[in-house]
Amino acid sequence: MRQIPTLAPLPARLPDSVPFVGPETLERQRGAPFAARLGANENGFGPSPRAIAAMQAEAGEVWKYGDPTNHDLRAAIAAHCGVTPAHVVVGEGIDTLLGLAVRLMVAQGDRVVSSEGGYPTFDFHVTGFGGELLRVPYRDDRQDPQALVARAVEIGARMVYLCNPDNPMGGWHPPEVIEAALAALPDDILLILDEAYAEFAPALPRIDPDDPRVLRMRTFSKAHGMAGARIGWAIGAPVMIRAFDRVRNHFGVNRIAQAGALAALADTAHLDRTVAQVAAARDRIAAIARDNGLTTLPSATNFVAVDCGGDGDFARAVLTALGDRGVFVRMPWVAPQNRCIRVSCGPAGALDAFAEALPHALAMARQGASGG
Amino acid sequence: MRQIPTLAPLPARLPDSVPFVGPETLERQRGAPFAARLGANENGFGPSPRAIAAMQAEAGEVWKYGDPTNHDLRAAIAAHCGVTPAHVVVGEGIDTLLGLAVRLMVAQGDRVVSSEGGYPTFDFHVTGFGGELLRVPYRDDRQDPQALVARAVEIGARMVYLCNPDNPMGGWHPPEVIEAALAALPDDILLILDEAYAEFAPALPRIDPDDPRVLRMRTFSKAHGMAGARIGWAIGAPVMIRAFDRVRNHFGVNRIAQAGALAALADTAHLDRTVAQVAAARDRIAAIARDNGLTTLPSATNFVAVDCGGDGDFARAVLTALGDRGVFVRMPWVAPQNRCIRVSCGPAGALDAFAEALPHALAMARQGASGG
């Protein structure tokens, strides 16, 4: 048996754990597909038919690499967001853009502030590049912008991460709260404002696109229904956007995704319909919860946190029992948020399956909790 | 004007340059599309019709993330390559897998050996993670496996990179040469064997898949005609393959690409046809060169290095004149290889355009060289 080449010191001490287990793995474990895929905040209302047609038309052209500058898409995004193309970098989804941003900013031992129970993939990147992660608790089930910035200032952080609207709880902060937090941010700390759920928010903060302290992350995965296409963007000051060229995979974005994204952005009617369908689905999830004696949290996203009325173990039991009945959901990973399960908005059939499974799942969990 | 957040020390000193300029940028500069896209070793014979159909069918399912374990595709690749799924990691093309491998192995100041004029994207990753790159010259227009390994041993390198068949010159080494180089490799140096062009090679080396000193990189970009899909794989010892989980973007691979790759792998008849078409196109490129008094290098890839019979400046002038006439090609970046232009194999129409443009391009270049 040969000796194994030693990994570099940093990767050598990284944990083997991964941020998320995918539903396909769970399906293989249970030996059957899920009837309702409501766990990953995917958008079951699907992409614009125009985006689907554009992707299908591009399939035959996939022998060509995509444009490494993402020229046309950046121009369209810039027009859509009221900035210039120099303010936009396109990447293989927010996950990749978060990794690149962390790599640009964080050296070993540098401090980064996020929320206790915030997005695990951001934490994965910070740990992966040797950063020290400091976590601020949620406050009233929402991330706490003021406390995040205050903590970053206090400990001399290099970056601070804020997701608004929030994942996994679904809440949001009105523009003036985000703007006030930004006003308190010193010049030498970078704010990552993850706006994956922006299209579902009632309003977004006004931020000077030339402000080098902020990178706003956006995606085609949620409202545009293209999670599997792996395409998103960041908006920031041109000097920060240019820095991505130092580390990104220039030919990394899928050509079919580029074509689909361009078409999706143009189909504003489909986006409006999606936002309305998602709002109706949120109401339906709240009604299903109510029918089962449960409450839900206000949501400005395409998912709803359902308070199962117990502790994390109880919610976990509900989640497991839902999974056994073919309904895939996820849940927050720290207390007290983990009293909830997180249910993605989806079409009627998927919510019917959830409505049918929930009473049984609650009964199973209560049976377990009473030692039965 | 605000002060800009300081980048981490390593990215702060990275160059602003990028490995490649894409043809779309050149088309925008010249104000017209290329008639023949023969510069990026893309495969103009295109993907399998079954792969296209699978991608088109999957477009409507793109609201779901792809399976982060790439379970089904890894199983198919393992069967295809005679290994187990534990020997396979799927990633967003070889470029991404190279970056991850470098990140796993290279800390600041670690040494890495590649060839003078080898793949710039590999160099980009080594520099990007703070490695010190040492380059071994080509020998007789081919990478020199023995010298690469000897140099790696001599300087205590962490990794050594070898592309076989070779990009940008097109040559290849028979299995015994690669196997002999590997036999001389110590346990603590990792060999990256980039086999992007493997399907075009007459034979591949036999390497124990459990050998932890080697990662073999393969792709759907070349013979399978899916460059724009961004999907490739690495084969290695399970302990090394598992290490990728520490740093990879788990949900990074496009779902449509997964479906297309699975279908492409199953269509061996299409692959056989492609390999035959590419061989015929290589002969055609050699004939076109001969008709113009030029010679070509032997190729085991989907491109041909055409010796323009002068120095790098002359070849550059030929390349520029070809571009002006709508024919996109690239060329090697160091002497003496840069006496050549590199022409990708493509369908008859593209090669017709090359055949028509080449005499004029040579005349232009000769006029320039004589000071005319």
Side-chain angles (χ1 to χ4, degrees), chain B residues 116-179:
Chain B
E116 183 74 36
Y119 189 45
T121 303
F122 180 73
D123 300 359
F124 170 79
H125 290 309
V126 172
T127 307
F129 287 104
E132 186 192 348
L133 200 59
L134 292 110
R135 296 187 176 91
V136 170
Y138 273 57
R139 180 167 148 163
D140 300 331
D141 290 321
R142 295 193 299 179
Q143 290 182 30
D144 189 340
Q146 209 178 351
L148 284 163
V149 169
R151 185 88 172 116
V153 172
E154 178 195 333
I155 61 159
R158 301 269 299 142
M159 298 177 96
V160 53
Y161 172 87
L162 171 63
C163 186
N164 183 63
D166 173 53
N167 179 20
M169 301 306 280
W172 75 296
H173 288 288
E176 58 272 20
V177 173
I178 306 295
E179 290 159 11

Side-chain angles (χ1 to χ4, degrees), chain A residues 135-148:
Chain A
R135 296 185 176 91
V136 170
Y138 273 57
R139 180 166 149 164
D140 300 332
D141 290 321
R142 294 192 300 177
Q143 290 183 29
D144 189 339
Q146 209 178 351
L148 284 163

Side-chain angles (χ1 to χ4, degrees), chain A residues 2 6 8 11-12 42 56 62 64-65 96 103-104 128 158 187 222 225 228-230 246 249 251 254-255, chain B residues 2 6 8 11-12 42 56 62-65 96 103-104 128 158 187 222 225 228-230 246 249 251 254-255:
Chain A
R2 288 190 175 275
T6 322
E42 294 161 334
Q56 289 174 333
V62 82
K64 301 175 216 166
Y65 289 101
T96 291
R103 183 174 162 198
L104 282 174
R158 300 270 298 142
D187 277 3
K222 304 301 178 186
R230 312 316 302 132
R246 300 179 179 208
N249 264 311
F251 289 83
N254 180 295
R255 185 180 184 93
Chain B
R2 288 189 175 275
T6 321
E42 295 161 333
Q56 289 173 335
V62 82
W63 62 272
K64 302 175 215 166
Y65 289 101
T96 290
R103 182 174 163 198
L104 283 173
R158 301 269 299 142
D187 277 4
K222 304 301 178 185
R230 311 317 302 132
R246 300 180 179 207
N249 264 311
F251 290 82
N254 180 295
R255 184 179 184 95

Side-chain angles (χ1 to χ4, degrees), chain A:
Chain A
M1 179 88 185
R2 288 190 175 275
Q3 185 200 316
I4 287 136
T6 322
L7 299 185
L10 174 50
R13 63 165 195 270
L14 290 178
D16 269 334
S17 62
V18 304
F20 286 108
V21 176
E24 291 82 3
T25 299
L26 302 175
E27 288 176 329
R28 281 188 293 271
Q29 286 169 357
R30 66 191 291 266
F34 286 121
R37 186 166 160 136
L38 300 171
N41 300 343
E42 294 161 334
N43 174 359
F45 299 107
S48 154
R50 288 204 240 160
I52 294 175
M55 290 187 277
Q56 289 174 333
E58 201 64 24
E61 303 297 311
V62 82
W63 62 273
K64 301 175 216 166
Y65 289 101
D67 173 10
T69 68
N70 298 284
H71 178 274
D72 296 348
L73 182 57
R74 277 170 55 232
I77 289 169
H80 176 75
C81 294
V83 297
T84 79
H87 292 91
V88 180
V89 59
V90 170
E92 305 92 315
I94 288 181
D95 282 1
T96 291
L97 291 166
L98 288 175
L100 294 173
V102 170
R103 183 174 162 198
L104 282 174
M105 292 297 293
V106 173
Q108 286 198 39
D110 280 348
R111 291 172 162 191
V112 177
V113 173
S114 185
S115 296
E116 183 74 37
Y119 189 45
T121 303
F122 179 73
D123 299 358
F124 171 80
H125 290 310
V126 172
T127 307
F129 287 103
E132 187 192 348
L133 200 59
L134 292 111
R135 296 185 176 91
V136 170
Y138 273 57
R139 180 166 149 164
D140 300 332
D141 290 321
R142 294 192 300 177
Q143 290 183 29
D144 189 339
Q146 209 178 351
L148 284 163
V149 169
R151 185 89 171 114
V153 172
E154 178 194 334
I155 61 158
R158 300 270 298 142
M159 298 175 97
V160 52
Y161 173 88
L162 171 64
C163 186
N164 183 64
D166 173 53
N167 179 20
M169 301 307 280
W172 75 295
H173 288 289
E176 57 273 20
V177 174
I178 306 295
E179 289 159 10
L182 185 57
L185 191 75
D187 277 3
D188 54 344
I189 301 178
L190 182 71
L191 170 65
I192 302 285
L193 188 56
D194 183 341
E195 299 186 319
Y197 301 95
E199 292 84 354
F200 306 112
L204 295 176
R206 290 176 65 94
I207 298 175
D208 177 0
D210 286 309
D211 188 335
R213 300 170 304 162
V214 194
L215 287 173
R216 304 176 83 152
M217 304 279 185
R218 300 282 298 269
T219 185
F220 288 94
S221 295
K222 304 301 178 186
H224 292 289
M226 291 173 53
R230 312 316 302 132
I231 187 160
W233 73 93
I235 292 178
V239 64
M240 294 300 290
I241 294 300
R242 277 198 303 276
F244 281 83
D245 268 346
R246 300 179 179 208
V247 292
R248 73 188 183 95
N249 264 311
H250 295 268
F251 289 83
V253 178
N254 180 295
R255 185 180 184 93
I256 295 170
Q258 289 174 326
L262 204 52
L265 207 59
D267 193 350
T268 53
H270 180 82
L271 180 64
D272 292 345
R273 267 195 308 278
T274 299
V275 170
Q277 286 171 310
V278 163
R282 282 196 306 252
D283 292 346
R284 170 101 198 270
I285 293 168
I288 294 167
R290 222 168 23 241
D291 290 345
N292 286 273
L294 306 181
T295 57
T296 54
L297 274 62
S299 168
T301 64
N302 72 330
F303 59 88
V304 178
V306 176
D307 187 335
C308 292
D311 61 5
D313 288 341
F314 184 75
R316 168 73 50 196
V318 175
L319 177 146
T320 303
L322 283 172
D324 291 343
R325 292 185 164 262
V327 176
F328 167 57
V329 301
R330 285 200 178 118
M331 62 183 285
W333 29 94
V334 297
Q337 296 98 286
N338 66 0
R339 71 189 188 282
C340 300
I341 56 171
R342 195 192 65 179
V343 183
S344 305
C345 295
L351 296 189
D352 291 347
F354 172 62
E356 195 184 314
L358 184 59
H360 301 284
L362 284 167
M364 290 287 291
R366 281 169 189 148
Q367 213 169 22
S370 68

Side-chain angles (χ1 to χ4, degrees), chain B residues 169-365:
Chain B
M169 301 306 280
W172 75 296
H173 288 288
E176 58 272 20
V177 173
I178 306 295
E179 290 159 11
L182 185 57
L185 192 75
D187 277 4
D188 55 345
I189 302 179
L190 182 71
L191 170 66
I192 302 284
L193 187 56
D194 183 340
E195 299 186 318
Y197 301 96
E199 292 84 355
F200 305 112
L204 295 175
R206 290 176 64 94
I207 297 174
D208 176 359
D210 286 311
D211 188 334
R213 300 171 304 162
V214 194
L215 288 173
R216 304 176 82 153
M217 303 278 183
R218 300 282 298 270
T219 185
F220 289 94
S221 295
K222 304 301 178 185
H224 292 289
M226 291 173 53
R230 311 317 302 132
I231 187 160
W233 72 94
I235 292 177
V239 64
M240 294 299 289
I241 294 300
R242 276 197 304 275
F244 281 84
D245 268 345
R246 300 180 179 207
V247 291
R248 73 188 182 96
N249 264 311
H250 294 268
F251 290 82
V253 178
N254 180 295
R255 184 179 184 95
I256 296 170
Q258 289 174 326
L262 204 53
L265 207 58
D267 193 350
T268 53
H270 180 82
L271 180 64
D272 291 345
R273 267 195 308 277
T274 299
V275 170
Q277 287 172 308
V278 163
R282 282 197 305 253
D283 291 345
R284 170 102 198 272
I285 293 168
I288 294 167
R290 222 166 25 239
D291 291 347
N292 287 274
L294 306 180
T295 58
T296 54
L297 274 62
S299 168
T301 64
N302 72 329
F303 59 88
V304 177
V306 177
D307 187 335
C308 292
D311 60 5
D313 288 343
F314 183 75
R316 169 71 52 195
V318 175
L319 177 145
T320 303
L322 284 171
D324 290 344
R325 291 184 164 263
V327 177
F328 167 57
V329 301
R330 284 200 179 119
M331 62 182 286
W333 29 96
V334 297
Q337 295 99 283
N338 67 0
R339 69 189 189 283
C340 300
I341 56 171
R342 195 192 66 179
V343 183
S344 305
C345 295
L351 295 190
D352 291 347
F354 172 62
E356 194 184 314
L358 184 59
H360 302 283
L362 284 167
M364 290 287 290

Side-chain angles (χ1 to χ4, degrees), chain B residues 3-133:
Chain B
Q3 185 199 317
I4 287 137
T6 321
L7 300 185
L10 175 49
R13 62 165 195 270
L14 289 178
D16 269 334
S17 62
V18 304
F20 286 108
V21 176
E24 290 82 3
T25 298
L26 301 175
E27 288 176 329
R28 280 187 292 271
Q29 285 168 358
R30 66 191 292 268
F34 287 120
R37 186 166 160 136
L38 299 171
N41 301 342
E42 295 161 333
N43 174 359
F45 299 106
S48 154
R50 288 204 240 160
I52 294 175
M55 289 186 278
Q56 289 173 335
E58 200 66 23
E61 303 297 311
V62 82
W63 62 272
K64 302 175 215 166
Y65 289 101
D67 173 11
T69 69
N70 297 283
H71 177 274
D72 297 347
L73 181 58
R74 277 170 56 232
I77 289 169
H80 177 75
C81 295
V83 297
T84 79
H87 292 90
V88 180
V89 58
V90 170
E92 305 92 315
I94 287 181
D95 282 0
T96 290
L97 291 167
L98 287 175
L100 294 172
V102 169
R103 182 174 163 198
L104 283 173
M105 292 297 293
V106 173
Q108 286 198 40
D110 280 348
R111 291 170 161 193
V112 176
V113 173
S114 185
S115 297
E116 183 74 36
Y119 189 45
T121 303
F122 180 73
D123 300 359
F124 170 79
H125 290 309
V126 172
T127 307
F129 287 104
E132 186 192 348
L133 200 59

